[in-house]
Amino acid sequence: MARRAGVSKGTLYLYFENKEELFKAVVRENIVEVIGKAESDVAAAAGASCNELLRAMLNKWWCEVGSTRASGLAKLIMAEAGNFPEIAAFYNDEVIERGNGLIASIVRRGVDNGEFAPVDADVMTRVLTAPVLMLMLWSHSFFPCDTGSIDPEAFMAAFLGLVERGIRAPAAAVTD
């Protein structure tokens, strides 16, 4: 990182107390800011279709985090959480809980207004985030070696189509 910034390693520590603080700054700048903007977007879209909002937020996550180098942070946290529980707790609070809270709020709103089938929003949030997280992990683990790798855009399009069809509230039964 220091080399890419054109400074020495020592210079970084003029701005950051230690590696943990440097890591937190990277997470805040590359992921937490994206979540904050997404939270604002959702709050401003009070009357929007929840289906469109959910699609937009999942796609935003992929485009602004998942498809970038910042997605490697998720792999790093998963691999090192046991060795650095304080950093894992920070990531959980700042990224996972806020991101999941945002998605769950959209799901709850969609259930409440009848746009989505009745589901447990917290469980559905984990179901919705798992494929995107897996795509992020694949991109850092298998894509560099896999000559037949998955097209991330095609994956996201297929996934979002599946979500749209799967979470939609059933049409009202026609009665005579």
Side-chain angles (χ1 to χ4, degrees):
M1 177 181 271
R3 187 178 336 123
R4 282 193 7 230
V7 299
S8 70
K9 285 183 184 180
T11 303
L12 290 176
Y13 293 105
L14 294 175
Y15 300 96
F16 303 100
E17 187 176 323
N18 53 41
K19 288 180 184 179
E20 289 81 9
E21 292 305 314
L22 176 59
F23 176 82
K24 288 178 182 180
V26 169
V27 169
R28 286 183 177 124
E29 183 174 320
N30 290 282
I31 301 176
V32 174
E33 283 185 17
V34 173
I35 294 171
K37 173 79 169 80
E39 289 168 336
S40 296
D41 292 348
V42 168
S49 158
C50 292
N51 182 56
E52 291 174 17
L53 199 51
L54 182 61
R55 176 181 274 276
M57 290 302 111
L58 290 169
N59 203 41
K60 180 182 188 76
W61 176 26
W62 171 252
C63 291
E64 295 188 24
V65 178
S67 68
T68 71
R69 293 177 64 138
S71 66
L73 296 169
K75 180 181 176 188
L76 180 64
I77 286 295
M78 292 176 114
E80 297 295 336
N83 296 326
F84 300 97
E86 193 173 296
I87 293 291
F90 159 80
Y91 192 85
N92 184 66
D93 294 343
E94 296 281 328
V95 175
I96 297 170
E97 289 300 320
R98 278 183 70 187
N100 283 352
L102 178 64
I103 298 298
S105 73
I106 297 168
V107 172
R108 280 188 194 91
R109 188 187 313 175
V111 169
D112 290 347
N113 72 18
E115 192 174 342
F116 295 158
V119 295
D120 180 315
D122 295 322
V123 171
M124 183 55 68
T125 295
R126 282 163 177 74
V127 169
L128 293 168
T129 58
V132 182
L133 183 57
M134 191 65 211
L135 183 59
M136 290 166 55
L137 294 175
W138 276 336
S139 71
H140 290 280
S141 300
F142 303 116
F143 284 176
C145 304
D146 185 5
T147 57
S149 62
I150 295 171
D151 174 4
E153 285 70 31
F155 178 97
M156 285 300 294
F159 167 63
L160 293 172
L162 182 64
V163 168
E164 185 175 331
R165 291 184 303 278
I167 200 168
R168 182 182 311 136
V174 179
T175 58
D176 292 323

